[in-house]
Amino acid sequence: MSATSAIVTRCAATSTQVGCRAQNALRSGKDAVSEPGNSTRELVSIPMTYSSAYHYTSGRKRALRPISKHPRNNSDYVLSSGPSVARSDLVKIVAAAIPEATRRTAPIFVEEGGYGDILNAVSRTTDRYFQIPASAEEALTPEDLEYLKAKGCFTLPENSGELVKAYFRYVHPTFPVIDAAQFLRQYAITGLKGINLLLLWSMFSVSASYAAASPQKVYKKIYAHRAKYLFDLTQENDKIVLVQSALLLSFWFEDGEDVKQSWYWSSIAISIAQTLGLHRDIKVVAAQTSIAQRSLWRNIWHCCLYRDVWLAFGMGRPLRIQTSDCIAFLPGDGIGCFSDELVLHGEELYSTQEAEGFGESWKTLISLSSVLRDTIISEEWSPPRAEVLRAGLNARNIGFSTNLLTRVHRHLQLHENAATIAIARRGGFDEILLEAADRTTTILQALLDDQTSAYAAPNTIPLLVPAMVIYLGATRSNENLAMNGAKEKLAIYSNFLTALEDNYPAASILRGIFRAAQKAVLSEESENQQGNIDSRPVDRLISSDYRNLSGNEHFSWLAEGLYPS
């Protein structure tokens, strides 16, 4: 990594999260692309539709978003608390890393170590965020433009309005990674033409789960691939959009052979978020950023924390985020996730009760995720410590007055039950293991009974595995009542996964693996008909087999990529 790239990481545009270099319909029917040493030339005629997503002027892709026409004056910057060097001088030091500066400005975060020590040598500033002139944008090559066009990246689906509504109805309440208010304001003014294409395709790759078009997984694959093409080829300079898109793409999974699945995209999101300084205290930049922007940054970082811990738990892998490197933030620091004033197509999306319930649920989920993180990283265990962690798993009842609130609360309970099993296994709470598994089973049966399994959250499937493993272990008991009961409950999980097969490829894979595991257990029983079957009670069988394993190691054999969606 060069000194330039190490000392400076450019952040997102400060005034809106919906701006993008891939967002403006052409005002004419032709695009122009510059070539080195030449003026612009006609490339290809593109109809004036949503496919006309790029605008080229003087050989440079221009993002149509609110930007500063001039860099800030030195007097606009707050002086550092350092002993001698003023804030304006620090800005000049950081800006020196930009070889071809433009009038557009961008926020920069400089870490305290490494090349950031250059700043420490001249001033002890605690504010590591700077506004500096941004570098010039690179033009998209004609070949890349044609490739993206051929892949359909510039042609939005006819049911785009439905997909947008489905996103804010069913995705946003459980994963508020987007500034909904800003998005919807922009959407009301410009429609889809004013929305970032990369972000839009990423949103559609998740919200297609709840659209009428079927089979959903086919459309999700198309939308996810278009988002990937844009992510890889357009050199998007709005890094907040890159983090948001990567987090949304982390819910897509096609097969275990695909390298770019959940684990990959969550890593990309976390890495970019850390280079932006989202894991640090952003309150010090109050003079340079709005409350809404700081709130969005905090919510995005909470989404990173959430995906990190639950993917690590589900896959039996190490955590990527080290809390010792982060400032501790309360869930309430990210305000404004939900509002009863969000309007789409002239209709309020949430009632006041729903908006408040979603907010409480999200705060509880982040706190619960923190408890699970402590469970995963703790090396020394004792019953008292397990009790302390378990006490943190008190999911607040947010009420069941509406279908949306019921859905969100069930989503929260599934997380709580999975975390409870993790703690109970390590703490030796045998009764609690089965109770938590049974509560998960009750939720699935309710989803089947009221025919709402299709509206399950995109990361529901990995939350089922801890309970399924408990029942799989119970089928090995010689107690007929317990063994038959476990088989009946596993049948409920099989029915639920069958209901999701047209939507989530992971559902088919997980159901197939557990079917094979059950057959292996039956084969084992057959070979031990002469009385060699384990005669332990079911609770002790489960406890002794799984108590000493950390994370989800007891089912990490289930296969790569089972846990994204």
Side-chain angles (χ1 to χ4, degrees):
M1 178 182 294
S2 67
T4 298
S5 59
I7 190 172
V8 175
T9 304
R10 287 182 296 157
C11 188
T14 58
S15 57
T16 178
Q17 299 312 317
V18 296
C20 176
R21 62 177 62 197
Q23 70 181 13
N24 184 45
L26 287 180
R27 296 173 184 173
S28 63
K30 298 180 179 180
D31 274 346
V33 176
S34 69
E35 295 180 322
N38 297 326
S39 59
T40 59
R41 67 176 177 83
E42 264 184 17
L43 172 65
V44 63
S45 177
I46 302 177
M48 199 174 79
T49 64
Y50 295 129
S51 66
S52 308
Y54 284 80
H55 182 208
Y56 294 85
T57 304
S58 299
R60 190 176 71 217
K61 289 182 292 181
R62 303 184 66 87
L64 296 188
R65 57 183 155 194
I67 59 175
S68 302
K69 293 183 178 180
H70 303 283
R72 288 185 177 220
N73 295 325
N74 291 344
S75 59
D76 291 339
Y77 295 101
V78 180
L79 290 180
S80 169
S81 58
S84 58
V85 176
R87 175 77 179 181
S88 57
D89 291 325
L90 293 178
V91 171
K92 292 178 181 178
I93 294 173
V94 176
I98 305 299
E100 298 180 14
T102 65
R103 290 186 175 183
R104 183 173 60 87
T105 62
I108 306 295
F109 173 72
V110 183
E111 282 283 7
E112 296 181 6
Y115 290 100
D117 283 338
I118 296 173
L119 300 185
N120 296 337
V122 297
S123 174
R124 286 297 174 183
T125 179
T126 58
D127 188 349
R128 315 295 294 193
Y129 295 83
F130 301 88
Q131 286 278 351
I132 67 171
S135 60
E137 299 170 332
E138 296 182 10
L140 193 66
T141 66
E143 294 80 9
D144 286 345
L145 178 64
E146 282 298 303
Y147 180 80
L148 293 173
K149 180 188 173 185
K151 291 297 184 180
C153 294
F154 304 147
T155 306
L156 295 177
E158 293 182 358
N159 65 335
S160 293
E162 179 189 356
L163 290 168
V164 171
K165 182 176 181 179
Y167 180 88
F168 288 104
R169 291 285 288 177
Y170 302 113
V171 181
H172 185 71
T174 57
F175 196 69
V177 73
I178 289 175
D179 184 343
Q182 175 63 31
F183 181 100
L184 293 172
R185 281 195 298 269
Q186 184 72 28
Y187 181 72
I189 297 171
T190 65
L192 295 171
K193 297 177 183 178
I195 307 300
N196 184 300
L197 268 182
L198 169 59
L199 183 60
L200 203 56
W201 285 121
S202 302
M203 293 167 61
F204 289 174
S205 73
V206 185
S207 65
S209 296
Y210 312 104
S214 63
Q216 287 97 333
K217 62 183 178 184
V218 172
Y219 288 100
K220 288 164 60 178
K221 177 179 179 180
I222 294 173
Y223 303 157
H225 283 195
R226 289 176 180 176
K228 291 178 183 179
Y229 299 142
L230 289 171
F231 198 103
D232 291 338
L233 293 178
T234 60
Q235 301 180 38
E236 173 62 56
N237 64 0
D238 189 335
K239 290 185 172 60
I240 286 294
V241 166
L242 290 176
V243 177
Q244 292 169 317
S245 299
L247 284 170
L248 290 171
L249 286 171
S250 75
F251 290 111
W252 167 247
F253 165 73
E254 185 175 5
D255 61 65
E257 295 299 317
D258 185 7
V259 175
K260 294 185 177 181
Q261 38 86 12
S262 289
W263 193 249
Y264 171 88
W265 289 109
S266 65
S267 174
I268 295 294
I270 292 169
S271 297
I272 298 176
Q274 288 174 328
T275 65
L276 296 177
L278 301 192
H279 60 306
R280 298 296 189 182
D281 189 359
I282 307 177
K283 293 179 181 178
V284 296
V285 292
Q288 303 177 46
T289 59
S290 67
I291 294 176
Q293 186 179 40
R294 296 198 302 276
S295 174
L296 174 65
W297 291 358
R298 186 59 55 242
N299 291 336
I300 291 175
W301 182 244
H302 283 150
C303 289
C304 289
L305 288 168
Y306 166 77
R307 290 300 282 158
D308 179 48
V309 69
W310 287 99
L311 280 171
F313 175 67
M315 291 181 167
R317 292 179 178 174
L319 292 160
R320 284 195 169 99
I321 297 174
Q322 302 299 319
T323 52
S324 59
D325 297 331
C326 309
I327 300 295
F329 301 108
L330 297 175
D333 288 345
I335 60 174
C337 296
F338 312 99
S339 169
D340 58 357
E341 298 179 356
L342 298 179
V343 177
L344 177 63
H345 303 149
E347 176 187 353
E348 286 190 355
L349 286 172
Y350 317 127
S351 67
T352 300
Q353 184 183 21
E354 287 172 337
E356 292 176 352
F358 299 160
E360 288 299 321
S361 177
W362 178 242
K363 292 177 185 178
T364 303
L365 183 55
I366 296 305
S367 297
L368 189 154
S369 300
S370 179
V371 173
L372 179 61
R373 182 179 295 273
D374 289 341
T375 303
I376 293 175
I377 65 178
S378 296
E379 296 182 358
E380 296 183 4
W381 269 84
S382 64
R385 173 161 179 74
E387 286 285 8
V388 170
L389 288 174
R390 182 170 167 249
L393 300 180
N394 294 321
R396 179 178 174 182
N397 191 329
I398 59 176
F400 300 91
S401 59
T402 71
N403 291 334
L404 283 179
L405 283 173
T406 299
R407 175 183 177 275
V408 169
H409 187 64
R410 286 172 175 172
H411 174 74
L412 178 60
Q413 287 180 313
L414 289 175
H415 283 82
E416 182 180 30
N417 294 336
T420 298
I421 290 175
I423 294 174
R425 186 176 66 240
R426 295 199 65 184
F429 301 117
D430 303 337
E431 250 180 61
I432 295 174
L433 276 172
L434 290 172
E435 290 175 358
D438 288 344
R439 287 196 299 272
T440 297
T441 307
T442 300
I443 293 173
L444 297 194
Q445 187 63 64
L447 290 169
L448 290 169
D449 290 343
D450 56 25
Q451 298 182 340
T452 57
S453 56
Y455 297 98
N459 56 333
T460 296
I461 292 175
L463 301 176
L464 311 183
V465 181
M468 294 179 74
V469 171
I470 297 300
Y471 294 136
L472 183 63
T475 61
R476 299 174 59 199
S477 172
N478 72 329
E479 297 178 4
N480 289 333
L481 184 61
M483 180 178 64
N484 292 333
K487 290 179 179 179
E488 291 175 359
K489 290 169 183 175
L490 281 175
I492 295 175
Y493 285 78
S494 179
N495 293 337
F496 181 77
L497 292 171
T498 299
L500 296 183
E501 282 185 330
D502 287 340
N503 204 338
Y504 299 103
S508 301
I509 297 175
L510 182 59
R511 189 168 68 91
I513 288 177
F514 267 92
R515 185 188 296 121
Q518 285 182 275
K519 288 182 179 179
V521 171
L522 289 175
S523 175
E524 180 188 35
E525 291 176 355
S526 167
E527 294 175 1
N528 290 284
Q529 288 179 352
Q530 304 303 318
N532 294 327
I533 297 179
D534 197 323
S535 61
R536 289 173 289 172
V538 63
D539 58 344
R540 296 191 62 186
L541 177 67
I542 294 173
S543 175
S544 61
D545 281 348
Y546 302 119
R547 180 183 302 171
N548 297 322
L549 297 176
S550 62
N552 265 10
E553 292 173 353
H554 65 291
F555 58 83
S556 61
W557 53 271
L558 283 177
E560 175 79 5
L562 273 182
Y563 309 97
S565 54

